[in-house]
Amino acid sequence: MPVVQLFMNAILAGASYALVAFGFGLIFSTARFLPFSQVVPYTLAAYSFHLFNIRLGLPFWIAVLLAILNAMLFGIAFDFAIFRTLRSRRVSPSILLMISLGLVAAFQSAISLWFGDQTLATRDSLQVAVYVVAGARVTNIQIATMLAAITAFIVIWLGQQKTAFGQAQRAIANDAELARVLGVQTNLTYAVVFAIGAGLAGLAGILAALDTDIIPTMGFQALVLGIAATIIGGIGSLPGAILGGILVGVAQHFGVWKLPTQWQDSIVFLFLTAFLLFRPQGVFGKPLRKARI
Amino acid sequence: MDYLFHIAILVSAYLMLATALDLLAGHTGILSLTQAGFYGLGAYTSALLTVHLKMPFLISVVAGMTVAVLVSFIISLPSLRLHDDYFVIATFGFQMILFSIFNNWIALTRGPLGIPGIPPPSIFGWTITSKIEYLILAAGFAAFAYAVVWRIAESPFGRVLHAIREDEVFAQSLGKNVLRFKIVAFAVSAALAASAGSLYAHYITFIDPTSFTVMESILVISMVIIGGAGSRWGPLVGAVVLVTLPEMLRFIGLPGAVAANLRQIIYGLLLVLMMMLRPRGLMGKYGFGR
């Protein structure tokens, strides 16, 4: 039953894209710029995990935890070193976007210099186990990705609705200036948002590293698909990120059912273009306006 | 001396790319990540035409520009009427698609193997054989691109582009068909980038997809921003700085791969530093994205 297998693959791939979309969407809706810099914590966590687990021989879960912490440190560093300074200067989002691009370029080359360009394997980190669910084969890593996405969704959802931080984040996402004036702890909230966003990207990166191998350019492919999931689902919407992830996964895997596999990402992108044509705000999102009156 | 000519030719090619992007980013205020894709379209189109169909060089250049313009319409028509952020994402995605086409459409482009044996350009009987002759051609191309963008910038058309950069909604409210202006600017930018690609392809006589990645687009953006977006000399300064600075690394005797990575680290960090300390770039009056 290839359809069931394809559908299962699609959903499990979608979970990975949803994780990236969570981080990207969270930072974008709060800080109001396109955080291409998310490539850095994604790749950083993957390489850190390899460093801790395979080169240094640390236990699996310790390595995972340290790698995610590493990614979150980057997020906080970005906030303190860059975002904080520029925020007080009221710079436009384009400048933050360009800084993100510069960071990605520098980081990718730094990784190439330090670790080399060859593919790093994670085969020794984890025993891959294959299960059969509803007639389709899934690996333990894919299940872990699914669980990670669902857990992240629940945690962020509850965090946004029930905690003070979440309320502060939603206030800033709605109107940052007003939130600051009304005494919302903007500095702290931004730091937490950047840390969580980077952590989510890092989590996605580690899961991807366990699933396939590690190369310096792994962040970009993931980011394109994560951005596609964010847009299709709707920017700033959590359920949208999940739905977007699933739709991207479906487009990717069902697309290559009939077409050669090297076009799978291009298919996703054409799907995204269709959305930009007819419904740019995505399924659940509010449209970005050029001017607000 | 030959080495200096080589650097000058590279600077010319990048000057064309930077000038083309400056028309979009500096004068119209739109950021695009597809420059490397158009660069590659020009390179591959003219290379394929001269290698397989034995077409004359100049015709292949025009063909490359035409292909780039048509592709630019595919990108711009759906996305330019949307918010800038959506457009950047659209250009990012299209850059990835174009790279995927260069890398995966093996039947046409030979994929990662690239296209070797691109013949030297021959214009009305004058076949270019030496580096100095190529430099003259390159300088001619660069001067053409620069003149095009400069004339546009100083013209009434350019004034509307500047108005769009300053306040798009306001320009629209004054009755300017903002979408049409942006589409034309994007198409011109694509055509100039493509012509740079043809120049590059026939100079190096071999092209492969790795020259046309999104990193290349970021490099061109760095040149425009560091030089100073929207200014007369900005793209030139940016191209000179970002081409020659890493070349100096060669003289320290580093191995090739290390030097290439260091180069990318340098321009990435330079971009970050510039944006933090002096957003208008070295020569610019206008801070990008105020």
Side-chain angles (χ1 to χ4, degrees), chain B residues 21-74:
Chain B
L21 181 63
D22 194 38
L23 177 66
L24 263 187
H27 295 288
T28 322
I30 307 170
L31 188 61
S32 158
L33 283 165
T34 328
Q35 289 306 98
F38 293 129
Y39 186 41
L41 272 176
Y44 271 98
T45 309
S46 77
L48 288 170
L49 287 177
T50 49
V51 169
H52 295 301
L53 296 181
K54 308 285 186 276
M55 276 198 183
F57 173 69
L58 282 178
I59 307 248
S60 77
V61 171
V62 172
M65 291 166 83
T66 313
V67 168
V69 166
L70 290 173
V71 172
S72 86
F73 289 145
I74 299 177

Side-chain angles (χ1 to χ4, degrees), chain B residues 166-244:
Chain B
E166 300 296 325
D167 191 331
E168 187 178 319
V169 177
F170 191 56
Q172 180 92 49
S173 76
L174 288 174
K176 300 296 173 191
N177 188 341
V178 164
L179 182 62
R180 196 164 60 84
F181 280 89
K182 289 207 267 188
I183 289 179
V184 171
F186 191 59
V188 171
S189 168
L192 291 175
S195 62
S198 310
L199 185 74
Y200 174 80
H202 286 84
Y203 174 59
I204 308 279
T205 70
F206 167 76
I207 52 172
D208 74 340
T210 62
S211 305
F212 310 115
T213 66
V214 68
M215 287 305 168
E216 199 71 12
S217 287
I218 298 180
L219 174 61
V220 177
I221 292 176
S222 305
M223 287 182 189
V224 172
I225 299 297
I226 291 172
S231 75
R232 190 174 300 186
W233 299 114
L236 177 61
V237 169
V240 167
V241 167
L242 284 183
V243 170
T244 56

Side-chain angles (χ1 to χ4, degrees), chain A residues 23-233:
Chain A
F24 189 86
L26 188 65
I27 297 182
F28 180 65
S29 58
T30 316
R32 297 241 161 266
F33 72 99
L34 287 169
F36 279 89
S37 49
Q38 285 290 82
V39 171
V40 178
Y42 183 93
T43 318
L44 180 64
Y47 274 91
S48 302
F49 171 76
H50 188 271
L51 179 70
F52 293 135
N53 185 242
I54 296 185
R55 288 232 199 143
L56 294 181
L58 294 174
F60 178 78
W61 287 108
I62 307 261
V64 169
L65 207 61
L66 284 176
I68 295 186
L69 272 170
N70 225 1
M72 291 174 90
L73 272 173
F74 169 79
I76 297 178
F78 181 83
D79 180 36
F80 273 83
I82 296 176
F83 187 69
R84 202 158 286 219
T85 332
L86 294 180
R87 187 162 54 94
S88 56
R89 265 191 257 155
R90 302 311 173 75
V91 296
S92 93
S94 318
I95 294 194
L96 286 162
L97 171 61
M98 303 229 234
I99 291 182
S100 296
L101 292 175
L103 280 176
V104 170
F107 176 77
Q108 194 173 301
S109 281
I111 288 277
S112 280
L113 264 185
W114 189 2
F115 288 89
D117 282 320
Q118 72 276 20
T119 319
L120 295 180
T122 52
R123 235 156 295 142
D124 301 324
S125 305
L126 191 64
Q127 265 300 96
V128 177
V130 182
Y131 307 102
V132 180
V133 175
R137 300 166 66 83
V138 294
T139 69
N140 50 349
I141 298 167
Q142 288 176 313
I143 295 180
T145 312
M146 188 67 165
L147 289 173
I150 295 177
T151 314
F153 175 77
I154 295 175
V155 168
I156 299 176
W157 181 263
L158 287 177
Q160 275 191 323
Q161 303 297 324
K162 304 284 185 197
T163 68
F165 268 134
Q167 206 171 34
Q169 185 269 324
R170 282 183 294 133
I172 294 174
N174 190 280
D175 192 327
E177 190 69 23
L178 190 57
R180 205 169 54 88
V181 163
L182 289 177
V184 171
Q185 295 274 50
T186 47
N187 279 347
L188 189 55
T189 315
Y190 275 122
V192 171
V193 162
F194 275 107
I196 294 182
L200 287 165
L203 180 60
I206 296 176
L207 287 165
L210 290 170
D211 195 33
T212 48
D213 297 317
I214 304 178
I215 53 171
T217 54
M218 63 191 290
F220 257 118
Q221 274 318 114
L223 188 73
V224 187
L225 297 171
I227 293 180
T230 313
I231 303 274
I232 292 174

Side-chain angles (χ1 to χ4, degrees), chain A residues 28 36 89 92 94 97-99 102 105-106 108-109 112 220-221 224 227 231 262 266 269 276-277 280 289-290, chain B residues 31 78 81-83 86 89-90 92-94 96-97 104 168 215 225 261 264-265 268 271 275-276 288-289:
Chain A
F28 180 65
F36 279 89
R89 265 191 257 155
S92 93
S94 318
L97 171 61
M98 303 229 234
I99 291 182
Q108 194 173 301
S109 281
S112 280
F220 257 118
Q221 274 318 114
V224 187
I227 293 180
I231 303 274
Q262 63 257 35
S266 305
F269 188 71
L276 285 175
L277 260 175
R289 294 253 171 263
K290 294 197 204 210
Chain B
L31 188 61
R81 59 193 163 84
L82 302 170
H83 192 276
Y86 287 131
I89 291 175
F92 179 54
F94 264 98
M96 306 297 268
I97 287 191
N104 294 321
E168 187 178 319
M215 287 305 168
I225 299 297
N261 282 322
Q264 192 162 299
I265 294 179
L271 181 58
M275 289 278 95
M276 300 223 35
F288 183 83

Side-chain angles (χ1 to χ4, degrees), chain B residues 90-159:
Chain B
T91 61
F92 179 54
F94 264 98
Q95 170 60 46
M96 306 297 268
I97 287 191
L98 284 171
F99 175 78
S100 186
I101 292 178
F102 299 148
N103 206 30
N104 294 321
W105 195 349
I106 313 261
L108 187 67
T109 65
R110 287 168 37 103
L113 296 174
I115 301 181
I118 304 175
S122 175
I123 306 177
F124 305 122
W126 171 41
T127 307
I128 300 198
T129 42
S130 71
K131 281 235 178 0
I132 178 104
E133 286 175 10
Y134 216 100
L135 179 56
I136 296 174
L137 178 67
F141 265 61
F144 171 72
Y146 184 75
V148 166
V149 172
W150 190 17
R151 283 309 315 273
I152 291 180
E154 308 264 304
S155 73
F157 186 89
R159 259 203 297 284

